[in-house]
Amino acid sequence: NAGVTQTPKFQVLKTGQSMTLQCAQDMNHNSMYWYRQDPGMGLRLIYYSASEGTTDKGEVPNGYNVSRLNKREFSLRLESAAPSQTSVYFCASSGLSGANVLTFGAGSRLTVL
Amino acid sequence: GQQVMQIPQYQHVQEGEDFTTYCNSSTTLSNIQWYKQRPGGHPVFLIQLVKSGEVKKQKRLTFQFGEAKKNSSLHITATQTTDVGTYFCAKRGQNFVFGPGTRLSVLP
């Protein structure tokens, strides 16, 4: 039971390049999330998907796009990377009510030069 | 901006001392969750509080939800080096909104 798997773990991009962060969960969770973490800023929500087929903007969506490919997978795309997008990105998932808590992936450290 | 605030931002303690972090909201919370992130790691769920005045304990950790459900606290008794990390509170609604976290360092 791997939980939430993110790839890649590390990536260096040049300004203007594009890339996709992949995330998959094997817990049959309905909801998935992408957060970014910057020093002193905590975890800020980029996009989330409450269920398969739906996506919604979070606090900081500009410069990103997402795809909920199926119930397991939720990808985050940077179309034209900027230095301000240098951050650690975390994917997370949660189930329905009751034990509705977040399970996080290990994180992806992205540097944009 | 942040809908959930935490203080202090940083806390340095000597091993064996107690530690407390506070989480505050300007609005009434239906629930509050606490997560711990070890250095270089990812956040891990610790506990959820939903009832007014609720107190829960996990070994040396005591979590409390305020009577007005606008604040919460995490208290660690007799800190150990394994307690090092950043502690986040989060409110669960349509999505999860995190506070900025309190980074705890423990000096041996």
Side-chain angles (χ1 to χ4, degrees):
Chain A
N1 189 343
V4 179
T5 303
Q6 288 181 236
T7 56
K9 286 186 167 35
F10 300 95
Q11 184 73 50
V12 178
L13 293 176
K14 294 181 179 179
T15 297
Q17 287 186 318
S18 63
M19 76 158 299
T20 300
L21 298 175
Q22 307 285 354
C23 176
Q25 53 89 11
D26 60 5
M27 297 170 286
N28 201 35
H29 283 170
N30 287 317
S31 302
M32 299 185 73
Y33 310 79
W34 277 105
Y35 287 89
R36 61 176 288 174
Q37 185 173 37
D38 303 292
M41 300 293 290
L43 293 152
R44 293 184 293 169
L45 183 64
I46 305 171
Y47 271 93
Y48 67 101
S49 171
S51 61
E52 187 179 355
T54 69
T55 61
D56 287 285
K57 295 178 180 180
E59 182 184 355
V60 287
N62 291 346
Y64 305 95
N65 287 302
V66 289
S67 296
R68 184 74 183 266
L69 304 171
N70 47 56
K71 191 171 186 178
R72 291 186 64 248
E73 299 172 286
F74 188 39
S75 63
L76 178 71
R77 182 160 178 84
L78 287 70
E79 290 291 351
S80 179
S84 61
Q85 294 178 304
T86 293
S87 188
V88 179
Y89 292 85
F90 287 100
C91 177
S93 68
S94 69
L96 292 176
S97 60
N100 192 2
V101 304
L102 286 173
T103 301
F104 283 86
S108 300
R109 183 174 293 275
L110 174 66
T111 301
V112 183
L113 303 176
Chain B
Q2 297 285 356
Q3 300 175 37
V4 179
M5 300 307 299
Q6 281 184 257
I7 53 170
Q9 188 175 4
Y10 302 96
Q11 185 79 57
H12 306 279
V13 299
Q14 205 73 37
E15 188 173 21
E17 292 181 337
D18 292 357
F19 159 76
T20 304
T21 175
Y22 300 91
C23 180
N24 298 291
S25 171
S26 58
T27 58
T28 302
L29 302 167
S30 58
N31 61 80
I32 195 79
Q33 297 182 350
W34 286 92
Y35 293 76
K36 177 184 178 180
Q37 182 178 24
R38 295 181 186 275
H42 58 276
V44 175
F45 171 76
L46 293 176
I47 211 157
Q48 175 172 272
L49 305 170
V50 295
K51 298 177 182 177
S52 169
E54 188 171 13
V55 178
K56 288 188 176 180
K57 293 189 175 184
Q58 290 180 349
K59 298 182 180 178
R60 294 177 296 102
L61 277 61
T62 302
F63 303 84
Q64 188 164 1
F65 204 5
E67 293 289 343
K69 300 183 74 173
K70 288 187 175 182
N71 57 75
S72 180
S73 64
L74 159 58
H75 179 82
I76 303 178
T77 303
T79 55
Q80 300 175 358
T81 55
T82 53
D83 296 323
V84 165
T86 302
Y87 293 85
F88 294 98
C89 62
K91 67 172 189 176
R92 173 175 60 81
Q94 188 176 14
N95 52 60
F96 294 75
V97 177
F98 283 79
T102 296
R103 183 183 296 179
L104 172 65
S105 63
V106 180
L107 306 173

